[in-house]
Amino acid sequence: MLVGHIKEIVRHPVKSFRGESVQKTNVMQYGVYGDRSHAFLDETRPGKFLTITQHQKMVQYQARFVGEESMVAYPTVEITSPEGKVITWGDEDLLRAMENESKRKVSFIEYSPTHVPLGAIEAEPIQLVTDASLNELQTIWGKDHLDHLRFRPNFVISLTDKIPFIEQTWFGKRMKIGRDVEIELRRPCERCMIITVNPDDAKRDPTLQKAVQKNCDNHFGVYASVTRTGEIGVGDEVFLLD
């Protein structure tokens, strides 16, 4: 059954940095190519990553891949700081900025183009949201603009039938995207304080999470695993299989 099409694809080359919208990409077993493939280890919490939860300003750093996708090595990761400075992943200035701003000792970590572990990625490989649910939540919240980047999704789906929160009925079903890609819809995405952080200025507004807690049982969006890899693009049709 056709349920919509891909409106936007977002990947986050650096965990907790602002992601990039892409017209097409490969979907790997771990999710969108290169998603959360680069991260900062928080040396004050062994085995943990530095994220927006500890350092809100991370959301203002824009990361993107510059070059073609390769399974041998990632393209250059270009990062634009909130002040507009352009640097590349691995630059010591970037490391010092993270340490000075967060007041924590951190280090770089980078994963393979063919494997990014759970934890770096999130709780499941793919997260998706729908346009109808975003519009409804904006109405519930009562603010002028709800930036979908607050939710850090990989896919924004434009629904054929604009039924808010219909995706919450899809758990256990499979979805086909474009010619090749298939995913299995696993469970709702339980939300944390990260959605309260404005991607533009890093300021917090706790009223958004309160609205999600009150009206959506603190769930928004859907987690999915990858059952068939391949290439996808903006505009691809999205089918619910069973």
Side-chain angles (χ1 to χ4, degrees), residues 127-129 167-168 171 187-189 191 219-223:
Q127 189 217 138
L128 63 86
V129 298
E167 62 273 21
Q168 300 293 328
F171 304 128
R187 56 192 177 91
C189 182
R191 291 302 173 175
H219 295 151
F220 190 80
V222 170
Y223 278 133

Side-chain angles (χ1 to χ4, degrees), residues 181-195:
V181 173
E182 291 185 12
I183 61 177
E184 182 178 338
L185 304 158
R186 303 292 296 273
R187 56 192 177 91
C189 182
E190 186 172 358
R191 291 302 173 175
C192 66
M193 62 75 64
I194 287 177
I195 67 171

Side-chain angles (χ1 to χ4, degrees), residues 219-238:
H219 295 151
F220 190 80
V222 170
Y223 278 133
S225 60
V226 178
T227 56
R228 188 177 177 190
T229 61
E231 187 177 85
I232 62 168
V234 171
D236 279 356
E237 293 181 319
V238 177

Side-chain angles (χ1 to χ4, degrees), residues 14 17 38-40 61 76-81 85-99 106-110:
V14 179
F17 279 8
H38 299 66
F40 294 94
Y61 283 80
T76 298
V77 179
E78 182 183 272
I79 296 157
T80 304
S81 75
K85 182 180 179 180
V86 178
I87 47 184
T88 57
W89 179 259
D91 192 306
E92 288 300 313
D93 286 345
L94 177 62
L95 191 67
R96 284 194 291 271
M98 287 297 105
E99 291 187 330
V106 300
S107 58
F108 293 117
I109 188 168
E110 177 180 333

